Amino acid sequence: STSRITSPNSPLFLTHCKITLPIQLSSNILSMQMILYLKRWLFRRTVHVVFTSVVPGHARGYDALNMCLYHLRAMHCLHISGINFEPYQVYFEPEDVKACIVTCGGLCPGLNTVIRELVCGLSHMYNVNDVFGIQNGYKGFYSSNYLPMTPKSVNDIHKRGGTVLGSSRGGHDTHKIVDNIQDRGINQVYIIGGDGTQKGAYEIFKEIRRRGLKVAVAGIPKTIDNDIAVIDKSFGFDTAVEEAQRAIDAAHVEASSAENGIGLVKLMGRYSGFIAMYATLASRDVDCCLIPESPFYLEGEGGLFEYIERRLKENNHMVIVVAEGAGQDLIAKSIPVADQLDASGNKLLLDVGLWLTHKIKDHCKSKKMEMTIKYIDPTYMIRAIPSNASDNVYCTLLAHSAIHGAMAGYSFTVGMVNGRHAYIPFHRVTSTRNKVKITDRMWARLLSSTNQPSFLSKEDIMEAREAERLANRLPVPASSSEHTKKHSASVLSNGEK
C-alpha cells in the first residue's frame, strides 16, 4: 500500500464491450471488488461499464480488470470494440504546484536524464511552472538557494554524466528539511538516490504526515550496484555494465599480449556483485569472477591460486574480474584495520584489487613462475558517463511514473516490478538489499561460462539458502498493525480519510 493524500472518488469506465458467450467468473479471475462492479452487467450482450478513475498501473482493481479481459479474450467470450480509460484524478492543481528535485549519494548514469524528464514532464504534461532544484544533496534544503529549473535550462543535460544539481552523502536533518519545505510552500518533492537516500525520504514523508502537510514525496531509486530491493533493475545499470566491457577488453588485450599474462579488473559492487556478474557474462573473455556473495579462498586444493596456475598452463593468460566488496574478510585477516564509515554510514572498503594483485605476485614468485599482471580500476569511470539509449528510455518512464503518482497525491518509491511500473511503499525498498543468489541459475550460468571453481563448500551453500529464505520474508514496518487498523480501506499520506 502506497500512501495517498486523498482517496479517489470518481470512476474509470470500460466502454464498448460485447459478451458473445455466457461465462461464469470466479474470484481467481476477478477480485471481489471487480465482481461487485461487473456482475450485474455480466450476462448482457452489450456491456457499458464505468469504473473509478485510476492512476495507471496503481489501483487494486486495475490489474484484476486486465486479468479478466485477458481470460475472456483467450476463451473467445469477449469482443472488445474499444477501451476508453478516463483520465485519472489529479489531486494538485497545476498552478498551485511547487515542485523540487534533489539528487543524493554517489553518481550514476542517467541522473541528468531523470532530472530533465521530471522538469519537462511537469511542464509539458501538467503545465507546472514552479520547479526547483535542490543543490548538493539533502543539506541543500537548508544550506543553499533553490535553483529555478525550466525545460529550456535542462534541454541537453541528458548528454552529460553526473548531476547538474550536485550531490553529497549525509547532511540529512529531517526537521530542517521539512521546515524548509513548509516555509517555501513546496508540495511535491522528488528524491533521487539509493538505499540511504530512500530511508531519508521515508523519514521526510513521516514528518510531513505528522505535521498534516499536503505534500507528495516521490522517490526514484538509484544505485550503480543494482542492489535496491523489490525493483527489477535500477537505472544506469545497463550503462555501467556496457562501460565495464571496455576495461575488461583492455585487460584481455594486456593479458593475451604477455607470457603468463593476467589482467585484473576491479568493478563496483560493495555488497552485491551484479555489475561484475553481468559484465563477465557479456564479455566471454573473463576466466574468473569474484563477488561479495560468493566466498573464495586463495591457497590449498580448489583455491584461487591453484586455478590460476592451471589456467595459465592451459591458455597462457587469464582475466580476473573482482567486485570491490569481495574478499574483505580475507583482507581483514592480513591487514587488521579499524572499521570506518563514510558520511552515508557505509563501511569503507579496502582495495581488494590491489591486495589481490600483490598476493598473486607473491604466490607466483614463491613458485618461481614468470608472470605479468596488469591491474585496471575503472571504478569511478563507469558511473560518471552519460546513460546509453536503453537507460535513457528507462529514466524517462521512471520520471513520468513519478510525476503521475505525485500529481495524484501519492507518496511512494517508483520502480519496475516484474516488468510493470509500480508505486512501492518506502519501507519495502529500504528494509532489505538485493543480492546475487549464488544458488540461482544466473550464477550457475556464469560458472559454466568461465569454467571457474565455485569455491563453495556444502556449508556455504546451506548458509546461502538459509539467508535467501530469510530474505524472502516480507518485512513489516513497526507501526504496520496500528496503521492497518486506522486505515483499513487505504493508506493516506496525512492520516486522514
Side-chain angles (χ1 to χ4, degrees):
S1 58
T2 55
S3 300
R4 196 176 194 278
I5 291 174
T6 187
S7 300
N9 297 317
S10 57
L12 174 74
F13 284 100
L14 173 69
T15 64
H16 305 300
C17 293
K18 184 180 179 182
I19 302 293
T20 59
L21 187 70
I23 179 173
Q24 181 69 41
L25 291 182
S26 59
S27 58
N28 67 333
I29 296 179
L30 282 179
S31 70
M32 294 304 296
Q33 182 182 8
M34 299 302 296
I35 289 175
L36 293 176
Y37 284 112
L38 286 177
K39 194 171 182 180
R40 64 187 232 180
W41 291 292
L42 194 56
F43 295 99
R44 298 183 183 181
R45 279 185 68 82
T46 302
V47 181
H48 297 280
V49 189
V50 180
F51 290 98
T52 314
S53 176
V54 177
V55 176
H58 177 75
R60 289 172 294 177
Y62 184 76
D63 287 335
L65 177 60
N66 281 339
M67 184 63 71
C68 170
L69 296 178
Y70 172 82
H71 282 283
L72 290 174
R73 190 181 318 196
M75 298 169 67
H76 304 287
C77 299
L78 181 67
H79 172 70
I80 303 175
S81 58
I83 299 179
N84 176 37
F85 290 107
E86 296 282 337
Y88 57 86
Q89 182 183 6
V90 176
Y91 178 78
F92 293 103
E93 295 296 331
E95 60 270 17
D96 297 331
V97 172
K98 291 188 72 174
C100 68
I101 305 168
V102 64
T103 54
C104 306
L107 298 183
C108 180
L111 282 171
N112 279 334
T113 305
V114 175
I115 294 170
R116 181 190 187 277
E117 295 309 319
L118 286 174
V119 175
C120 293
L122 284 166
S123 177
H124 297 156
M125 292 190 293
Y126 289 97
N127 295 318
V128 172
N129 296 318
D130 293 329
V131 183
F132 301 92
I134 309 300
Q135 301 180 75
N136 301 318
Y138 276 134
K139 65 182 181 181
F141 276 100
Y142 53 84
S143 65
S144 61
N145 293 325
Y146 289 15
L147 179 67
M149 306 187 80
T150 64
K152 185 176 180 180
S153 69
V154 299
N155 182 54
D156 61 351
I157 63 173
H158 63 291
K159 299 176 183 178
R160 289 176 271 166
T163 165
V164 294
L165 295 178
S167 184
S168 67
R169 298 187 183 276
H172 186 277
D173 188 316
T174 304
H175 291 283
K176 283 185 179 181
I177 291 171
V178 178
D179 285 343
N180 275 269
I181 290 172
Q182 187 172 2
D183 293 344
R184 292 176 182 264
I186 299 294
N187 51 22
Q188 288 185 18
V189 183
Y190 296 92
I191 301 175
I192 311 168
D195 177 75
T197 301
Q198 299 306 313
K199 289 179 181 177
Y202 188 32
E203 295 303 315
I204 292 172
F205 159 70
K206 289 192 291 185
E207 180 63 19
I208 284 172
R209 185 174 59 181
R210 189 187 68 79
R211 298 188 188 188
L213 304 178
K214 304 293 185 180
V215 179
V217 181
I220 303 176
K222 174 266 330 170
T223 168
I224 198 73
D225 295 342
N226 196 35
D227 61 355
I228 295 289
V230 181
I231 65 174
D232 296 347
K233 180 178 63 176
S234 57
F235 72 83
F237 177 71
D238 283 349
T239 305
V241 171
E242 186 176 302
E243 185 68 13
Q245 297 300 295
R246 303 191 184 194
I248 294 175
D249 289 345
H252 182 252
V253 170
E254 289 284 352
S256 60
S257 300
E259 182 182 2
N260 286 340
I262 298 176
L264 178 61
V265 181
K266 185 183 79 171
L267 297 176
M268 299 194 79
R270 179 181 295 273
Y271 303 108
S272 304
F274 286 102
I275 291 179
M277 180 175 72
Y278 277 86
T280 295
L281 284 168
S283 171
R284 303 293 179 179
D285 287 329
V286 178
D287 299 286
C288 185
C289 177
L290 306 173
I291 61 174
E293 295 89 338
S294 181
F296 67 94
Y297 56 97
L298 300 178
E299 300 175 349
E301 185 179 354
L304 179 62
F305 289 158
E306 182 185 77
Y307 175 62
I308 290 174
E309 290 179 27
R310 185 173 76 249
R311 192 64 181 159
L312 290 177
K313 288 179 181 178
E314 292 172 352
N315 209 32
N316 199 39
H317 70 273
M318 73 177 299
V319 176
I320 302 172
V321 168
V322 58
E324 61 180 335
Q328 293 296 314
D329 54 333
L330 297 177
I331 304 175
K333 293 177 181 177
S334 58
I335 310 176
V337 292
D339 289 344
Q340 296 181 355
L341 305 178
D342 63 16
S344 295
N346 297 315
K347 181 180 177 180
L348 292 176
L349 303 177
L350 296 172
D351 191 337
V352 64
L354 191 60
W355 174 81
L356 198 55
T357 298
H358 289 305
K359 285 293 183 180
I360 294 173
K361 283 182 177 179
D362 292 342
H363 174 76
C364 291
K365 187 177 181 180
S366 67
K367 294 286 185 177
K368 297 182 179 179
M369 288 176 55
E370 290 293 330
M371 181 272 301
T372 301
I373 186 167
K374 301 296 183 184
Y375 173 41
I376 299 175
D377 181 3
T379 301
Y380 294 100
M381 292 174 61
I382 68 173
R383 73 177 198 175
I385 61 173
S387 54
N388 62 15
S390 173
D391 274 324
N392 270 334
V393 173
Y394 188 30
C395 290
T396 300
L397 298 179
L398 288 174
H400 287 183
S401 295
I403 291 169
H404 294 319
M407 287 298 295
Y410 290 92
S411 288
F412 55 87
T413 292
V414 68
M416 185 83 79
V417 181
N418 294 329
R420 301 287 295 273
H421 283 269
Y423 298 143
I424 311 162
F426 287 110
H427 69 85
R428 284 293 287 114
V429 298
T430 59
S431 55
T432 59
R433 179 177 282 110
N434 192 24
K435 292 188 175 185
V436 173
K437 297 177 182 178
I438 58 174
T439 57
D440 202 9
R441 288 182 179 179
M442 192 59 76
W443 184 245
R445 291 182 180 118
L446 180 140
L447 296 178
S448 175
S449 172
T450 61
N451 201 30
Q452 70 184 65
S454 69
F455 303 112
L456 297 176
S457 64
K458 185 177 180 180
E459 290 74 17
D460 292 328
I461 295 174
M462 294 301 293
E463 287 179 10
R465 286 178 176 168
E466 178 65 16
E468 183 180 331
R469 185 185 68 81
L470 295 175
N472 286 335
R473 292 182 178 178
L474 289 178
V476 179
S479 60
S480 63
S481 58
E482 180 183 353
H483 199 59
T484 304
K485 293 177 183 178
K486 290 183 179 180
H487 308 287
S488 57
S490 61
V491 182
L492 311 179
S493 66
N494 61 1
E496 299 174 0
K497 285 191 178 180

